[in-house]
Amino acid sequence: MTLNTNTLKNNEILPFKQLLGLSVGAGFSVASIYYSQPIIGLLSHAFQLKISEVGLVPTLTQIGYALGIFFLVPLGDMINRKKLIITKLALLCGALGLCSLSATFPNLLITSLLIGILATTAQDIVLASTAIAPPSQRGKSVGIVMTGLLSGILLSRVFSGIIGQFWGWEAIFQLAAASIMMLMVYFWVSLPTMPAQNTLTYQQIMRSLKPLWHQYPQLRQSVIAQGLLSVAFSAFWTTLAVFLLHNYNLGSATAGLFGLAGAAGAIAAPLAGGLADRLGANKILLLTISIVIVSFIAMFLIPLLAIHFQIAFLVVCVILFDFGINASLVSHQTIVYSLQPEARGRLNSILFTFVFIGMAIGSAFGGYLYQHVGWNGILVLAIVTPLIALIVRLKPNTRTHTA
């Protein structure tokens, strides 16, 4: 069986080589929106600006990613997904290259916004895995590709920090552009054709988002629950560096190393996807959301431990809650993508729009809580929002079928 087959039959297995390629593609694509975060200091020095001003760079990149999810990802339901991926990769390569050539701060901001918009190719690649995988392996396939995506998030900060320190911030985006160009060539050769599954226009596609929301209670349940989990996730990571500095006199480098504990999330993805295929996504979600809640409750015990055990215990808690949140995301994707195959792009757009809304709320509210209440306020928020997500998941729903 070659990689250029249009579809796979239910009893066929999606080749691991192809899944690996999709996984790597998703990782390198999503990494584009995280390269700027560790090099804020370098950019501040290069453009002679305050840290608060340079903070607009990652902010605009994230805003661009949210815009791209909402307005571009649904295109995959109306045009050939392979052509969409190739086109967006070509444009992303150009945006990264232009970013490295930015001589003025406004140019840097514009290219950062474009990078965020076009990095949503990662979402198109995840959806491609669902389109070419047999139904019996869809959860596992999504999990493997999500492993690459989560690894890209994890390793992008490490890559950016090292390259920026020794070769300058421009080299980061130049190397990133080269990697995207290689991906574009690889997908041009290896990705199977994925024709559009409907004949809707773009306006019809966008107008259909609201009916999809009303039609599927599982969609509403999934996006609300994952959005609530995202609040906890973002609030924790936004304030961790400040917590480590105030309580242990540890710098941002140590906080960055905590991100390596996020490798648990990459491990969780294929495991959760496979279990969701066999046991049902809802059962897995009840378990993984409970793990998140217990992990944050356990963090209240940290001050009771001997000082030399506190950091180690925090690392364990981070591994557990990151595992739970990422496993929950893959399980929710499995549910949402199965609702209406020809509308996966739109369903994905709705899901991740809520995820990023949750991220934004967690980041903003987390900073406010830490300033006025302290670390315990963060932990309360990180317990309450997953608890509400668990209650949302426990509510029974009835599947609404397409007329």
Side-chain angles (χ1 to χ4, degrees), residues 192-227:
T193 300
M194 289 169 281
Q197 294 184 294
N198 57 63
T199 57
L200 297 177
T201 65
Y202 182 72
Q203 288 182 332
Q204 290 172 327
I205 286 283
M206 297 307 293
R207 282 200 300 264
S208 70
L209 293 176
K210 185 175 180 180
L212 284 171
W213 173 263
H214 290 295
Q215 185 177 3
Y216 294 109
Q218 303 96 316
L219 174 63
R220 299 192 296 271
Q221 187 181 44
S222 295
V223 299
I224 292 172
Q226 194 62 45

Side-chain angles (χ1 to χ4, degrees), residues 33-34 37 57-67 112 116 356:
I33 68 174
Y34 294 99
Q37 291 183 354
V57 174
T59 298
L60 278 177
T61 307
Q62 295 286 349
I63 290 173
Y65 196 75
L67 291 172
S112 296
F356 273 82

Side-chain angles (χ1 to χ4, degrees), residues 45 54 123 134 189 197 225 227 266 269 282 301 325 340 347 349 353 367 379:
H45 178 74
V54 180
Q123 299 296 326
V189 174
Q197 294 184 294
N282 194 58
L301 303 176
I325 284 180
Q340 192 173 321
L347 294 167
S349 178
T353 296
L379 296 184

Side-chain angles (χ1 to χ4, degrees), residues 42 54 75 139 152 162 172 179 201 204 219 344 364 390 403:
L42 292 175
V54 180
L75 286 172
I162 294 174
I172 297 168
S179 69
T201 65
Q204 290 172 327
L219 174 63
R344 283 192 188 121
L390 184 62

Side-chain angles (χ1 to χ4, degrees), residues 108-153:
L108 182 66
L109 293 178
I110 292 170
T111 53
S112 296
L113 180 66
L114 291 174
I115 288 170
I117 292 171
L118 296 167
T120 53
T121 310
Q123 299 296 326
D124 299 310
I125 293 170
V126 173
L127 289 166
S129 72
T130 72
I132 59 181
S136 62
Q137 297 181 27
R138 187 165 295 132
K140 182 178 180 181
S141 298
V142 170
I144 291 174
V145 177
M146 284 298 293
T147 298
L149 188 147
L150 296 170
S151 298
I153 294 172

Side-chain angles (χ1 to χ4, degrees), residues 241-310:
V242 184
F243 169 74
L244 292 175
L245 178 62
H246 288 172
N247 291 272
Y248 303 100
N249 199 31
L250 297 174
S252 58
T254 304
L257 290 175
F258 263 82
L260 294 176
I267 297 170
L271 176 62
L275 289 174
D277 288 334
R278 294 195 297 273
L279 304 176
N282 194 58
K283 291 180 180 179
I284 303 304
L285 281 162
L286 297 181
L287 173 62
T288 54
I289 296 174
S290 297
I291 290 174
V292 174
I293 296 169
V294 171
S295 300
F296 283 116
I297 291 175
M299 290 186 194
F300 275 112
L301 303 176
I302 290 176
L304 304 178
L305 302 175
I307 188 68
H308 51 280
F309 287 125
Q310 291 182 7

